[in-house]
Amino acid sequence: RSGQDLCAVWMANLSPKESPAMTEWVPTENPPTLSAAIRSRHSERVPFDPQRPVVEAHIQAILGAARWAPTAHNMQNFEIIVVDDPSVLAALGRVHGGTSEEFIRENYAQLSFSEEELIRKGTGLLATMFPPSWQEPNGTPDVVTDIAHGFLDATMRSCPTVMIVVFDTRKRAPASKGDLLGVMSLGCVMQNMWLTATALGISMQIMSVFSAEHVEEELHKILSIPSSMSIAFACRLGYPLEEPGRYLRVRREIQRYTHRNAYVPNDEQ
């Protein structure tokens, strides 16, 4: 079958036959091919329309996609907290965010300072996407102001739905050093959720700040998360309030990361 057919079958199979809560969902009339969904998936950083909720049927479709993500030994090492109650979203907004000095330092080291440099590297992001103090090649990021981003209120106020994926730290994939296979499994969950959201026309952004230690402590209290559970990732879902500005997205050429029959370093490694 063609990619279009396979994607249509995949989306149709997410349609609930046993769950009354999902009966409102009608599969997209012209769903993107799987390849198109993969290539068009991106992180949406603009404010979402708080008056346009994600319908329950689509929420269930995204949760259903997570259900079928491949996990090591089928351990299904995740739980998902869906937050769409305005009062709970407001409580999350009162949590103080902030960016760690470690994040600023390591992120700055990977930035490109021109489109030409970004295209040549094929990895990373443009410095213009970040605060002004980050946009000088030989500059020093302003740690004081960049850490003090303040509370999460602005983000939560424009967000109709947040999904927080947690995992049990007491468990791991069998014989997996550092639980690498368990971490990979959580990545598969994220990918399934993101591709399904993309196919449904729903914007998504990973909220890495939710995994920061001081933020996670507050979320455990607000959401009654057991102490044995840790946040793997969180994402906000919705529809842009304004036309998103587009930015240069790059990827390495296939030959730059592919090795046949033996590993052969290329000139840029």
Side-chain angles (χ1 to χ4, degrees):
R1 294 179 175 178
S2 69
Q4 180 83 25
D5 291 340
L6 288 173
C7 190
V9 169
W10 173 50
M11 294 299 295
N13 285 340
L14 291 176
S15 177
K17 294 190 169 105
E18 68 281 342
S19 172
M22 290 182 63
T23 54
E24 297 178 15
W25 181 49
V26 177
T28 306
E29 184 177 346
N30 294 302
T33 64
L34 181 57
S35 176
I38 290 171
R39 291 173 65 92
S40 62
R41 179 223 56 80
H42 64 281
S43 189
E44 199 63 86
R45 296 174 172 85
V46 300
F48 293 161
D49 186 350
Q51 303 304 317
R52 186 182 176 189
V54 179
V55 299
E56 181 62 25
H58 288 180
I59 289 175
Q60 291 296 322
I62 293 168
L63 295 173
R67 175 189 182 198
W68 288 104
T71 58
H73 299 267
N74 194 30
M75 65 189 296
Q76 300 180 46
N77 58 332
F78 62 92
E79 306 284 335
I80 303 177
I81 302 169
V82 180
V83 182
D84 54 7
D85 184 319
S87 64
V88 182
L89 289 169
L92 297 183
R94 290 191 289 272
V95 174
H96 192 277
T99 303
S100 70
E101 182 176 353
E102 179 184 29
F103 174 86
I104 293 175
R105 183 177 62 254
E106 294 183 359
N107 187 69
Y108 183 74
Q110 298 181 39
L111 296 179
S112 291
F113 298 92
S114 69
E115 291 190 353
E116 293 75 17
E117 181 186 5
L118 183 63
I119 292 171
R120 176 175 54 79
K121 288 181 177 178
T123 63
L125 298 170
L126 270 177
T128 52
M129 298 174 63
F130 294 93
S133 66
W134 297 33
Q135 297 177 22
E136 293 296 327
N138 300 314
T140 301
D142 190 340
V143 174
V144 176
T145 58
D146 289 343
I147 286 180
H149 283 319
F151 297 89
L152 299 174
D153 178 60
T155 301
M156 293 299 100
R157 193 168 57 243
S158 68
C159 179
T161 304
V162 169
M163 291 188 182
I164 301 171
V165 178
V166 299
F167 66 100
D168 193 333
T169 58
R170 299 169 301 180
K171 300 177 181 179
R172 72 166 191 169
S176 176
K177 185 177 181 181
D179 197 27
L180 178 60
L181 292 177
V183 173
M184 289 171 58
S185 299
L186 293 167
C188 292
V189 172
M190 178 195 291
Q191 182 83 326
N192 272 23
M193 293 172 66
W194 211 334
L195 290 178
T196 301
T198 298
L200 293 170
I202 300 168
S203 294
M204 177 169 159
Q205 181 188 19
I206 299 299
M207 304 289 293
S208 57
V209 68
F210 277 32
S211 297
E213 185 175 352
H214 66 286
V215 175
E216 184 166 358
E217 288 178 1
E218 293 300 315
L219 296 187
H220 270 73
K221 299 173 186 175
I222 296 170
L223 302 173
S224 301
I225 301 173
S227 59
S228 60
M229 308 295 282
S230 183
I231 295 177
F233 66 90
C235 58
R236 66 186 190 107
L237 298 154
Y239 304 92
L241 195 58
E242 58 192 48
E243 185 65 27
R246 291 304 171 210
Y247 54 91
L248 180 62
R249 301 173 71 220
V250 297
R251 294 295 188 272
R252 292 176 295 165
E253 296 294 334
I254 293 174
Q255 60 269 24
R256 289 178 62 182
Y257 59 80
T258 305
H259 309 264
R260 286 286 174 88
N261 303 313
Y263 183 89
V264 180
N266 62 46
D267 293 338
E268 299 183 11
Q269 290 180 322

